[in-house]
Amino acid sequence: TEDLLTRKPYGRTRPLISRTMMKNILGHAIYQLAVMLFILFAGPTVFDIDDGRPINNVFKPSEHFTMIFNVFVLMTLFNEI
């Protein structure tokens, strides 16, 4: 907008990340961590899928870890919006 072009610039001593920004960053990080940990530990029983834990130190592709990755990507995408 035109008002944005006519306002004075921020000073050199002002922090790059404001308190509101920090609250939003920490809030979303806690939210993402809670959802990811829930899906990691309770996901196989809640969604009735095989867990992706290794058998004899061999990792096999699983729906569980694919779901964790997709949920992480979608939460990050919606954070942008």
Side-chain angles (χ1 to χ4, degrees):
T1 65
E2 193 68 32
D3 294 334
L4 197 61
L5 296 173
T6 58
R7 72 170 170 80
K8 292 184 177 183
Y10 294 123
R12 289 185 188 194
T13 58
R14 296 229 15 214
L16 199 59
I17 299 176
S18 67
R19 280 185 191 251
T20 305
M21 289 170 63
M22 185 58 72
K23 288 178 187 176
N24 288 336
I25 290 169
L26 289 175
H28 192 73
I30 292 169
Y31 165 72
Q32 270 192 342
L33 190 61
V35 171
M36 296 300 288
L37 288 174
F38 173 78
I39 292 175
L40 180 64
F41 293 113
T45 56
V46 171
F47 300 112
D48 193 31
I49 56 175
D50 293 333
D51 62 352
R53 295 188 181 148
I55 300 171
N56 297 329
N57 292 330
V58 176
F59 285 91
K60 293 184 179 179
S62 68
E63 291 178 359
H64 183 218
F65 286 127
T66 302
M67 185 168 144
I68 290 172
F69 175 74
N70 285 329
V71 167
F72 174 73
V73 169
L74 287 173
M75 283 192 299
T76 304
L77 178 69
F78 284 116
N79 184 32
E80 292 291 323
I81 296 171

